């Protein structure tokens, strides 16, 4: 009887494991793995969404600003292996925000640049957004919401203005707690490898939290869905303390006059 | 689990008590949802209340109770996982969906097993559920066989 019990227990456990993995494999996030969306396709989609989201907006193009962003990107690229070629778009806006799109597109609002007292703080935000891009958080959310086929059709320009609205909403909605933590962790490691103080991530969180408290702006994407910003500040600070870095400043000249770049 | 003589000589009260063990689990499960503990408390309480009853009743009460442990464990994990996602604004991951599928599968299997158990026990059958039947037999098998031998000798 003992053998019968053990055999039945094992058979039942296997059956449960079968049920688990069948559903696990069918879950939308897993579709990405099976669909093998190419980097080129992803970049094309990212560019399409960026064009939707910047339509009617004042896109800032200033040589010193472009140079600063390129310098930050280069620092990160030499420090770590990044799968995307990042492209930055700066929008003229009082809003203090930035968000990542599929394929390495990153959109930054000029309000954020204005509030960053050091270029390293902007670098910390960019590292965080790079984390979302590298971990494909936006793409996973989109695939989960509308499916790969619809996504391909809409981003390919075939149809679906309603779906395109949904996609834009998803981009601005913010991420889940685990995804934000993943992006934070990515940013902290990237800053460390790039010889930038990871503590700047904490200071930029503090800036955003202060702004949120003052209700000067809407809640930035980086803080959205996360009531406990204090925890994230603490985690970033602890990481910086435990991982001392021999820092090399970004040396972005004229940063104090950045107001001229973005107005 | 063939105990023909024994099964023919059961009192109606024994059959009822044995059948009620499963009904208690079912009612506890329905009344307690989404809290996963009430069905277990009901089953343990019922098992305790029939501790001085015959081996047939105890066999079924034990089987109904032990089957609840598995359901409660799986439901408790499922509930706490779901609540942690809802209250921390986490994401409903593929692993969560997989666990929920297992939870539904185990609960449905359990309901079916309990309904069959209640019917069979009411008929006086020594019905053994999957996994928990052999387990209950390991605990009460010898007591049941001894009782049958005693009944056969007395007859």
């Amino acid at each position: 009887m003992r053998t019968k019990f053990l055999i039945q227990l094992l058979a039942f456990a296997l059956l449960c494991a079968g049920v688990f993995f069948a559903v696990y494999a069918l879950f939308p996030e897993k579709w990405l793995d099976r669909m093998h969306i190419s980097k080129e396709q992803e970049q094309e989609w990212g560019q399409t969404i960026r064009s939707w989201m910047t339509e009617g907006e004042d896109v800032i193009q200033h040589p010193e600003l472009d140079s600063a962003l390129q310098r930050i990107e280069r620092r990160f690229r030499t420090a770590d292996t990044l799968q995307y070629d990042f492209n930055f778009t700066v929008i003229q806006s009082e809003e203090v925000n930035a968000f990542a799109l599929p394929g390495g597109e990153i959109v930054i609002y000029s309000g954020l640049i204005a509030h960053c007292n050091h270029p390293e703080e902007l670098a910390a935000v960019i590292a965080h957004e790079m984390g979302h891009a590298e971990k494909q958080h936006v793409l996973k959310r989109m695939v989960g919401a509308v499916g790969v086929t619809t996504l391909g059709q809409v981003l390919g320009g075939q149809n679906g203005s309603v779906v395109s609205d949904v996609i834009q909403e998803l981009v601005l909605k913010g991420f889940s707690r685990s995804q934000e933590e993943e992006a934070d962790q990515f940013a902290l490691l990237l800053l460390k490898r790039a010889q930038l103080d990871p503590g700047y991530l904490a200071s930029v969180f503090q800036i955003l939290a202060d702004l949120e408290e003052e209700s000067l702006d809407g809640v930035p994407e980086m803080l959205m869905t996360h009531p406990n910003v204090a925890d994230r500040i603490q985690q970033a600070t602890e990481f910086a303390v435990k991982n001392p870095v021999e820092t090399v400043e970004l040396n972005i000249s004229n940063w104090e006059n950045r107001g001229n770049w973005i107005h | 689990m063939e105990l023909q003589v024994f099964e023919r000589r059961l009192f109606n009260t024994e059959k009822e008590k044995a059948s009620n063990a499963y009904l208690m689990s079912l009612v506890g499960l329905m009344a307690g949802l989404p809290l996963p503990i009430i069905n277990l408390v009901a089953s343990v309480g019922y098992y305790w209340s029939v501790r001085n009853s015959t081996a047939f009743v105890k066999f079924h009460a034990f089987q109904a109770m032990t089957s609840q442990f598995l359901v409660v464990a799986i439901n408790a994990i499922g509930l706490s996982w779901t609540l942690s996602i809802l209250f921390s604004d986490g994401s409903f991951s593929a692993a969560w969906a997989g666990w929920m599928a297992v939870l539904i599968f185990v609960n449905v299997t359990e309901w079916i097993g309990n309904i069959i158990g209640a019917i069979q026990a009411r008929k006086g059958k020594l019905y053994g559920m999957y996994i928990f039947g052999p387990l209950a037999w390991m605990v009460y098998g010898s007591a049941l066989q001894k009782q049958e031998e005693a009944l056969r000798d007395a007859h």
Side-chain angles (χ1 to χ4, degrees), chain B residues 31-143:
Chain B
L33 284 173
L35 289 172
I37 195 74
I38 292 176
N39 49 327
L40 182 66
V41 172
S43 297
V44 171
Y46 191 80
Y47 178 70
W48 180 254
S49 74
V50 298
R51 66 190 181 284
N52 294 324
S53 195
T54 62
F56 178 78
V57 176
K58 284 195 282 190
F59 172 88
H60 284 289
F62 180 82
Q63 185 171 239
M65 179 184 71
T66 48
S67 68
Q68 293 305 312
F69 279 105
L70 176 70
V71 175
V72 164
I74 288 173
N75 286 2
I77 293 169
L79 181 69
S80 54
W81 194 342
T82 307
L83 288 177
S84 72
I85 290 170
L86 292 175
F87 286 103
S88 67
D89 201 20
S91 59
F92 291 99
S93 61
W96 176 84
W99 188 264
M100 285 297 136
V102 171
L103 185 149
I104 292 166
F105 171 69
V106 171
N107 273 273
V108 170
T109 310
E110 168 75 8
W111 293 340
I112 294 168
N114 271 300
I115 291 165
I116 296 171
I119 294 166
Q120 294 298 318
R122 191 68 188 82
K123 286 179 181 172
K125 300 281 181 191
L126 201 65
Y127 161 74
M129 287 169 86
Y130 203 74
I131 300 171
F132 303 103
L135 185 66
W137 185 260
M138 280 193 278
V139 178
Y140 289 107
S142 60

Side-chain angles (χ1 to χ4, degrees), chain A:
Chain A
M1 198 53 75
R2 187 187 294 269
T3 313
K4 192 176 177 184
F5 167 72
L6 291 173
I7 289 169
Q8 288 188 1
L9 190 64
L10 183 66
F12 192 74
L14 287 172
L15 196 59
C16 286
V19 171
F20 177 88
F21 284 111
V23 174
Y24 183 85
L26 288 171
F27 199 72
E29 272 192 18
K30 298 285 159 193
W31 296 352
L32 269 184
D33 302 334
R34 296 213 309 272
M35 294 308 292
H36 301 296
I37 298 166
S38 67
K39 287 282 161 294
E40 292 73 26
Q41 178 73 85
E42 224 182 299
Q43 281 167 346
E44 218 172 279
W45 288 356
Q47 285 161 10
T48 305
I49 300 167
R50 187 203 60 204
S51 68
W52 292 343
M53 301 193 76
T54 56
E55 199 179 334
E57 301 282 356
D58 186 6
V59 176
I60 298 171
Q61 283 177 319
H62 190 284
E64 283 186 277
L65 178 59
D66 291 345
S67 159
L69 292 169
Q70 292 312 317
R71 186 181 280 257
I72 293 169
E73 206 255 357
R74 264 201 311 277
R75 176 70 81 87
F76 287 146
R77 189 165 295 286
T78 45
D80 207 344
T81 310
L82 302 171
Q83 59 175 319
Y84 296 107
D85 292 326
F86 285 93
N87 182 47
F88 302 97
T89 305
V90 181
I91 293 175
Q92 171 73 57
S93 170
E94 292 292 308
E95 212 175 311
V96 181
N97 207 354
F99 55 85
L101 298 173
E105 292 287 335
I106 292 178
V107 178
I108 302 165
Y109 288 48
S110 61
L112 175 71
I113 297 171
H115 278 89
C116 287
N117 301 316
H118 306 276
E120 285 79 6
E121 286 171 350
L122 178 62
V125 175
I126 288 173
H128 175 89
E129 296 306 329
M130 280 178 166
H132 283 309
E134 291 284 319
K135 303 291 178 186
Q136 298 185 308
H137 291 159
V138 185
L139 197 61
K140 281 175 183 170
R141 171 166 281 190
M142 287 175 184
V143 170
V146 298
V148 173
T149 311
T150 312
L151 195 63
Q153 284 173 348
V154 175
L155 293 169
Q158 287 181 28
N159 54 36
S161 63
V162 176
V163 182
S164 73
D165 290 344
V166 171
I167 291 169
Q168 291 179 65
E169 274 295 312
L170 287 172
V171 169
L172 294 170
K173 199 182 163 206
F175 298 96
S176 71
R177 187 188 190 94
S178 60
Q179 286 176 330
E180 288 294 359
E181 282 171 358
E182 202 174 15
D184 285 355
Q185 203 56 34
F186 181 93
L188 290 167
L189 287 170
L190 188 57
L191 288 164
K192 182 189 165 192
R193 286 173 189 153
Q195 291 185 283
L196 295 170
D197 184 359
Y200 279 114
L201 189 65
S203 64
V204 86
F205 281 145
Q206 192 59 61
I207 293 169
L208 296 173
D210 292 345
L211 284 170
E212 189 192 7
E213 207 166 288
E214 291 167 25
S215 300
L216 291 178
D217 290 281
V219 184
E221 176 275 313
M222 280 179 78
L223 299 188
M224 215 180 273
T225 75
H226 302 284
N228 209 342
V229 184
D231 280 353
R232 297 175 76 191
I233 293 172
Q234 192 187 337
Q235 279 163 13
T237 309
E238 279 173 9
F239 181 93
V241 172
K242 285 179 188 165
N243 298 274
V245 182
E246 199 175 317
T247 56
V248 177
E249 285 187 4
L250 277 166
N251 280 331
I252 293 174
S253 58
N254 221 10
W255 180 258
E256 59 281 4
N257 293 325
R258 64 194 177 285
N260 297 329
W261 307 346
I262 55 179
H263 287 117

